[in-house]
Amino acid sequence: MERVNFQAIEKKWQKKFSSLKLSNPKGEKFYCLEMFPYPSGKIHMGHVRNYTIGDVIARYKYLNGFNVLHPMGWDAFGLPAENASKLNNLHPKDWTNKNIKIMKDQLKLLGLSIDWDLEISTCDKEYYKHQQSIFIDFYNQGLVSRKETYVNWDPIEKSVLANEQVINGRGWRSNAIVERKKLSQWFFNITKFSESLLEDLTKLEGWPDKVKLMQANWIGKSFGCELNFEIENTSDSVKVFTTRPDTIFGASFVALSVDHPFNKKFNQNKSFLEFKNECNKSGTTEEAIANAEKLGFNTKLFVKHPFIKGKKIPIYFANFVLMDYGTGAIFGCPAHDQRDFEFAKKYNLEIIKVVSDNDDKKELIEAFIGNGKLINSDFLNGLKVDDAKSKIINEIEKRGIGSKKTLYRLKDWGISRQRYWGCPIPMIYLEDGTIVPVDKSELPVVLPDDIDLSTQGNPLESHPNWKMTTQKSTGKKATRETDTLDTFVDSSWYFMRFCSPKYKNGPFDEKKINYWMPVDQYIGGIEHAILHLLYSRFFTKGINKFNKNININEPFKNLFTQGMVCHESYKDLNGEWLYPEEVERKDNKNVIKRKDKTKVIVGPPESMSKSKKNTIDPETMIKQYGADAVRWFILSDSPPEKDIQWSDAGVASANKFLQKIWNLNFVIKNKSDGSSDKEQEKKFTLGIKNYVNKIDSSIKNFRFNVSIAQFYEIYNFFKENLEKKISDKLLKESIIEVMKLMIPFTPHLAHECLELANCKTPNKWPTVEKNILKEINLAVQINGKTRDIISVKKDFSEKEIDKLVLDNSKAKKYIENKKVIKKIFVKNKIINYIITN
RNA sequence: GCCCUCGUGGUGAAAUUGGUAGACACAAAGGACUUAAAAUCCUUGCCCUUUUGGGAGUGCCAGUUCGAGUCUGGCCGAGGGCACCA
């Protein structure tokens, strides 16, 4: 058997790929983009899968005549760089650049069709300069604001933590108890686009429904109304929001958030302050919230029921009412809301049923939230919930005590981070307290290199002079904002920068944007379903708003979210995690440690992660089996949207198969003309054409595992036909067609084989012909059970098939001597005889 | 708690609009080649039958249909998202 040295051919072709441009200037444009990586050190299998999928699409489109943009860059700002530099005394910039270099070389080993001339890095001042300019544009458009909010404050790190960095109420690194602290922060007013972010989801036909649904839930639109309650014995009132105004006759208390402005009346009240403290202390974790008891503080004040004369309702402060949703105040209807129910039980408040659950005498053991007819509700009695809602809202508006209201759960995007390694926010504070943007001509506001990372808190804050500056237009003294931008901002517009990555006069060349955008195919992990994708959509809409020359409203036309790469995990008897290479598998049951032959406990396959050491290093695999085999394996077996399980045996067998493909090419190359048979050649040609169709459509549908299965079949098909009377000319032409089909999957091997075969047109995809089949298999059924499969000419009529069946099919014996009461004939599919016994 | 998705051999999985269930691969068992092993190749893969053949079968229970992995209803199980959002 002829063998090929994968390392040698991969090196050879990667040299050619490095200057590869997938450009077909006359073709339709196609922007293929994979989510760019964070330069953490080395690429992992998740990257391999993501970028291999992208490469298949990019190469496929190019071979089909599209003008393809396929760039790559680095999401290079972020906290790990700061942490790493504290550990090994390396500047974040140097650490990041070192990682970029390593990872770029690793990506090249995969043979990707990336145009490296377009490379960008978000920590490059040539990149973030433009980001600062967009920030100022957003500021001028009213899309940036400054607000006081509660943040997760780590008292040891002296910094804000993101929600996911708070674990069981403690800082993930310092282990300090996280405090709720009020800080003045910068925000992007993403909520200004709530409606269009929701509405435009319907236009994104090329997005998975799952992602659209997640975003829709996140935006969380709900309909209801606001309603004013007059407070007894004062001229004050309190405004509540409700989605269930129909239950107003069941209202038995009003509850306010402890942060509601009404709390001013109680800021001298010691027990209230204690209560408020208690509320702020209770954890921000989901678990803590879910288990927290409903607590209230009785104000001893009352509101008047707006529809029941003389009825008064107590006002409480309650720990389960949030200030940043609605008005920060609710009315409680315990019979029909579980939280209100629990609260009422605890404080002995009235529970009045106003929606019938068809058992109205029975006492409730939990809130009834189902549908039904209204009872105990005056003029609403007998109406269904929906009708009662409309009627009561009308009545509320008529009386001028409230109005219909639509609310969104989406909150503005807090973008301030007390960090060094991020994009400086281009704002300055004048001595008189006014806050203004940096003059655009002064951009970029450069991150200083000489910082001391050993101090706690934000290094920019403690830098001796960086924040001292002057306002350009007036010469007034000013100090810089020392917070940097959330790194999600960096990735919210990089796909636009890729269209003209070296453009000097602004963030992007508008002509290029209008040509390349939107991204035709975006590929990445499902973990970005909400934040990154929502923020990018917001940025696109924001840019669209202030730049009238840009007519892009949505950034990503088609989205594909790939599954994770999983591997089982190993623990020794001491409970220490072990890397796969540290263990040895005797058989299915016995797994032992290589070092001391002790037993190893095998865990279920999980997403590869450093903490569990269940990782496989792509570079090792590429060196051992070749990049083509790694690409091949990672695309085979499972559909790309599902998780896959890494298996060394799988990649080894991929390698073997590719060797067989090479050998097949070699055998055909050296074949000299034998005898040929027209009929057999016809069948062979038809078979190949059929495979071309199947592979073409499976690529189009992202069914790469099916494409790969087809290649195995093709191999067997060739092996079979080598024995038959087929001219070597036809075999040679056919193997060329097949190798072209393999380019997207195994570009090195495919190109090497095409070169071997002396192919003059390696950049042209085989022609896809529809309706090539002349003969089809037709199922013969008796009473719906398949009894035979017969080969018939395509488009044969019922009559002709009838004759065939009755003459010599296996089904014949079932029909003989029986009465056929009905016949169902579906052309080119089945014929079904219904018989009686 | 609410919302969504998915249940097909020992395993990963195929199966255009309802029309041949299990393609292709991994693992396993048996065999061939070999002094032996590795590699390679072949066969098998639920039940009945010596074979031809027949039967059951896509989580469970019903339904629609000539025909259901695919459609409808209920149940069971797994995964994911959201979560005091009023």
Side-chain angles (χ1 to χ4, degrees):
Chain A
M1 181 165 144
E2 196 62 32
R3 296 184 75 83
V4 62
N5 180 343
F6 283 118
Q7 274 66 36
I9 65 159
E10 287 179 3
K11 211 170 168 191
K12 167 183 160 189
W13 287 100
Q14 277 160 23
K15 235 177 232 168
K16 304 198 180 194
F17 297 160
S18 72
S19 59
L20 183 70
K21 299 255 184 248
L22 301 180
S23 103
N24 281 313
K26 284 180 191 157
E28 196 183 325
K29 74 97 181 175
F30 191 90
Y31 185 176
C32 181
L33 183 68
E34 299 102 63
M35 291 180 183
F36 65 165
Y38 177 77
S40 56
K42 282 174 152 193
I43 62 165
H44 54 70
M45 279 298 169
H47 293 129
V48 173
R49 195 174 194 198
N50 192 177
Y51 302 141
T52 302
I53 292 169
D55 199 46
V56 171
I57 299 300
R59 287 182 184 270
Y60 170 77
K61 286 291 173 181
Y62 169 66
L63 294 171
N64 277 280
F66 286 81
N67 195 25
V68 178
L69 187 73
H70 191 206
M72 183 58 72
W74 309 97
D75 190 12
F77 273 136
L79 195 53
E82 279 180 61
N83 296 337
S85 73
K86 278 181 196 169
L87 274 177
N88 41 35
N89 203 24
L90 194 61
H91 193 280
K93 188 187 243 173
D94 300 328
W95 183 83
T96 303
N97 287 333
K98 186 191 91 191
N99 290 344
I100 287 175
K101 196 178 169 306
I102 294 167
M103 288 172 74
K104 187 172 169 184
D105 287 343
Q106 288 188 316
L107 287 181
K108 285 184 173 176
L109 288 178
L110 279 169
L112 305 173
S113 61
I114 286 164
D115 184 348
W116 286 104
D117 290 344
L118 307 175
E119 181 180 3
I120 55 177
S121 172
T122 58
C123 68
D124 185 344
K125 62 178 188 292
E126 286 309 309
Y127 181 83
Y128 69 69
K129 164 184 173 177
H130 300 298
Q131 186 160 307
Q132 290 168 341
S133 143
I134 294 173
F135 180 95
I136 294 168
D137 289 334
F138 274 26
Y139 179 86
N140 293 332
Q141 285 292 320
L143 292 177
V144 176
S145 59
R146 205 171 156 73
K147 289 193 256 189
E148 283 224 315
T149 54
Y150 281 104
V151 294
N152 303 307
W153 180 258
D154 186 321
I156 291 184
E157 300 229 335
K158 294 197 170 63
S159 183
V160 168
L161 298 178
N163 283 329
E164 56 271 24
Q165 291 168 334
V166 181
I167 299 156
N168 292 327
R170 290 170 179 272
W172 66 297
R173 204 142 34 97
S174 69
N175 208 30
I177 292 175
V178 171
E179 296 169 6
R180 274 182 94 211
K181 189 174 169 179
K182 226 172 189 182
L183 268 191
S184 214
Q185 304 260 294
W186 289 103
F187 282 83
F188 277 138
N189 301 332
I190 186 169
T191 54
K192 286 202 176 174
F193 289 97
S194 296
E195 187 54 37
S196 77
L197 285 169
L198 182 68
E199 179 62 27
D200 290 350
L201 284 173
T202 58
K203 294 183 195 158
L204 299 174
E205 284 168 20
W207 280 40
D209 290 338
K210 186 182 166 185
V211 175
K212 286 190 276 189
L213 189 73
M214 278 165 76
Q215 292 211 355
N217 289 342
W218 188 262
I219 293 166
K221 187 177 187 175
S222 56
F223 304 93
C225 76
E226 286 183 345
L227 176 58
N228 265 310
F229 286 89
E230 283 175 39
I231 298 173
E232 228 184 22
N233 305 325
T234 69
S235 56
D236 287 343
S237 70
V238 53
K239 193 198 265 176
V240 306
F241 172 77
T242 179
T243 54
R244 293 295 302 274
D246 53 301
T247 62
I248 183 66
F249 287 94
S252 58
F253 64 93
V254 160
L256 312 176
S257 162
V258 289
D259 298 312
H260 192 281
F262 197 69
N263 66 13
K264 286 197 188 79
K265 291 196 191 327
F266 295 86
N267 59 12
Q268 300 300 323
N269 183 322
K270 213 174 147 202
S271 53
F272 172 73
L273 293 175
E274 267 169 27
F275 176 73
K276 188 181 169 191
N277 241 337
E278 202 55 38
C279 290
N280 281 345
K281 228 197 265 170
S282 68
T284 46
T285 61
E286 286 173 7
E287 208 186 343
I289 289 166
N291 298 330
E293 199 186 357
K294 307 278 173 289
L295 294 174
F297 174 84
N298 193 344
T299 63
K300 312 267 168 67
L301 295 171
F302 293 87
V303 294
K304 296 181 196 159
H305 192 291
F307 293 98
I308 305 174
K309 226 176 180 171
K311 176 157 186 166
K312 54 183 201 171
I313 299 173
I315 307 176
Y316 282 80
F317 284 102
N319 63 345
F320 65 93
V321 180
L322 306 173
M323 192 56 223
D324 54 4
Y325 184 77
T327 59
I330 62 155
F331 77 75
C333 174
H336 305 290
D337 181 289
Q338 188 56 29
R339 292 155 304 181
D340 299 347
F341 184 83
E342 287 168 31
F343 191 79
K345 279 278 175 194
K346 182 162 172 87
Y347 293 102
N348 277 324
L349 299 167
E350 270 185 304
I351 299 175
I352 310 158
K353 242 186 236 186
V354 289
V355 180
S356 170
D357 60 353
N358 297 321
D359 193 1
D360 297 331
K361 297 218 172 75
K362 207 175 109 197
E363 202 185 326
L364 290 168
I365 44 164
E366 58 179 8
F368 172 68
I369 50 170
N371 213 333
K373 283 188 176 164
L374 274 280
I375 52 173
N376 302 325
S377 296
D378 195 358
F379 58 90
L380 298 177
N381 282 337
L383 293 174
K384 282 199 192 138
V385 167
D386 279 348
D387 300 331
K389 272 186 196 173
S390 325
K391 183 154 188 185
I392 191 77
I393 290 173
N394 271 338
E395 195 59 32
I396 287 167
E397 290 187 331
K398 213 164 83 190
R399 298 192 189 186
I401 52 172
S403 58
K404 198 190 262 176
K405 180 99 180 169
T406 302
L407 226 55
Y408 301 88
R409 215 175 58 96
L410 184 68
K411 296 192 181 89
D412 278 334
W413 172 17
I415 48 176
S416 293
R417 296 291 181 272
Q418 294 70 39
R419 303 279 179 215
Y420 164 66
W421 194 234
C423 172
I425 297 175
M427 300 296 292
I428 52 175
Y429 299 77
L430 300 178
E431 282 178 320
D432 62 5
T434 54
I435 307 171
V436 293
V438 172
D439 193 290
K440 270 199 178 187
S441 66
E442 302 255 88
L443 298 182
V445 176
V446 180
L447 210 51
D449 284 340
D450 55 332
I451 39 100
D452 180 5
L453 282 163
S454 63
T455 57
Q456 297 292 358
N458 184 353
L460 289 178
E461 186 68 47
S462 47
H463 188 280
N465 51 25
W466 180 77
K467 67 177 178 183
M468 304 305 171
T469 185
T470 52
Q471 185 182 23
K472 196 190 178 194
S473 56
T474 62
K476 284 184 191 161
K477 272 192 184 167
T479 57
R480 291 192 188 285
E481 171 63 65
T482 55
D483 286 352
T484 52
L485 287 171
D486 179 7
T487 55
F488 271 116
V489 180
D490 310 338
S491 55
S492 291
W493 71 284
Y494 78 109
F495 44 88
M496 295 198 180
R497 184 67 183 166
F498 272 140
C499 301
S500 51
K502 298 193 172 112
Y503 190 64
K504 290 247 186 298
N505 304 326
F508 28 70
D509 181 340
E510 290 156 2
K511 265 189 238 134
K512 298 269 180 170
I513 289 277
N514 286 331
Y515 175 73
W516 286 113
M517 289 293 292
V519 173
D520 293 280
Q521 185 64 59
Y522 197 33
I523 306 158
I526 186 74
E527 66 274 20
H528 293 111
I530 297 173
L531 297 183
H532 163 59
L533 291 169
L534 194 66
Y535 294 156
S536 297
R537 295 181 62 219
F538 162 70
F539 250 68
T540 307
K541 289 176 192 300
I543 287 167
N544 184 278
K545 191 179 169 192
F546 72 74
N547 189 332
K548 294 294 168 210
N549 296 324
I550 284 176
N551 49 33
I552 310 296
N553 196 34
E554 283 288 342
F556 312 122
K557 190 171 171 208
N558 295 292
L559 173 71
F560 188 86
T561 53
Q562 93 271 5
M564 294 181 298
V565 184
C566 300
H567 197 280
E568 55 192 13
S569 60
Y570 309 102
K571 250 184 197 175
D572 67 12
L573 294 171
N574 302 323
E576 296 287 321
W577 297 105
L578 299 170
Y579 285 107
E581 56 268 27
E582 291 178 286
V583 307
E584 197 177 337
R585 185 172 276 271
K586 286 289 187 197
D587 55 61
N588 263 341
K589 281 178 193 152
N590 291 310
V591 180
I592 56 164
K593 206 162 153 185
R594 276 185 201 281
K595 217 160 66 187
D596 54 14
K597 310 291 178 202
T598 54
K599 199 170 155 47
V600 165
I601 299 146
V602 180
E606 286 175 279
S607 171
M608 288 188 183
S609 80
K610 281 182 192 163
S611 61
K612 287 185 180 149
K613 295 194 176 174
N614 60 339
T615 52
I616 297 287
D617 176 39
E619 199 172 339
T620 312
M621 289 295 125
I622 291 169
K623 291 206 167 121
Q624 198 170 346
Y625 299 105
D628 282 341
V630 171
R631 291 170 62 119
W632 186 264
F633 170 71
I634 213 150
L635 294 171
S636 65
D637 286 353
S638 294
E641 71 277 10
K642 286 186 75 173
D643 289 355
I644 53 164
Q645 222 183 306
W646 181 267
S647 121
D648 285 3
V651 72
S653 85
N655 170 286
K656 275 177 213 157
F657 178 72
L658 296 180
Q659 282 290 4
K660 291 204 271 186
I661 288 285
W662 168 256
N663 186 58
L664 177 68
N665 273 271
F666 204 79
V667 168
I668 291 174
K669 163 90 175 170
N670 291 322
K671 212 165 182 294
S672 54
D673 213 345
S675 51
S676 75
D677 177 275
K678 278 269 142 54
E679 201 50 39
Q680 290 187 359
E681 289 194 336
K682 221 168 122 187
K683 271 196 168 162
F684 176 72
T685 311
L686 214 60
I688 294 292
K689 282 187 178 173
N690 196 29
Y691 285 124
V692 170
N693 284 357
K694 281 185 171 174
I695 287 176
D696 186 78
S697 70
S698 56
I699 295 176
K700 275 201 188 100
N701 297 319
F702 276 83
R703 312 300 302 276
F704 307 128
N705 53 326
V706 179
S707 314
I708 299 242
Q710 295 296 319
F711 283 114
Y712 283 102
E713 285 192 25
I714 291 174
Y715 175 78
N716 293 334
F717 186 68
F718 264 100
K719 288 286 271 189
E720 246 168 67
N721 280 280
L722 284 176
E723 319 277 312
K724 293 187 180 164
K725 291 177 178 170
I726 299 196
S727 73
D728 70 304
K729 182 168 173 281
L730 179 55
L731 285 172
K732 282 170 188 170
E733 283 168 11
S734 304
I735 196 81
I736 284 177
E737 295 285 277
V738 172
M739 287 307 107
K740 287 179 175 177
L741 296 176
M742 276 184 74
I743 291 175
F745 302 91
T746 56
H748 313 90
L749 177 68
H751 277 112
E752 186 69 17
C753 290
L754 287 168
E755 196 177 81
L756 178 80
N758 222 348
C759 171
K760 299 279 186 294
T761 55
N763 293 331
K764 203 175 170 317
W765 193 248
T767 314
V768 177
E769 291 174 53
K770 294 282 162 212
N771 304 318
I772 47 165
L773 289 179
K774 304 266 163 32
E775 285 212 338
I776 48 103
N777 290 332
L778 185 125
V780 182
Q781 300 181 337
I782 310 296
N783 287 347
K785 272 206 167 75
T786 303
R787 296 298 178 180
D788 195 12
I789 293 144
I790 54 173
S791 184
V792 296
K793 285 227 165 70
K794 205 181 170 201
D795 296 336
F796 244 33
S797 72
E798 179 175 347
K799 228 178 180 175
E800 287 163 304
I801 284 161
D802 222 14
K803 196 165 172 297
L804 276 176
V805 170
L806 294 172
D807 277 359
N808 55 9
S809 100
K810 286 179 197 158
K812 188 174 152 190
K813 65 177 180 185
Y814 293 92
I815 306 170
E816 274 173 344
N817 306 322
K818 295 279 163 64
K819 193 176 168 197
V820 175
I821 50 173
K822 197 176 175 186
K823 243 187 289 179
I824 293 124
F825 175 69
V826 182
K827 207 159 98 179
N828 299 330
K829 289 250 165 79
I830 56 129
I831 184 152
N832 186 8
Y833 296 88
I834 311 303
I835 57 169
T836 54
N837 282 319

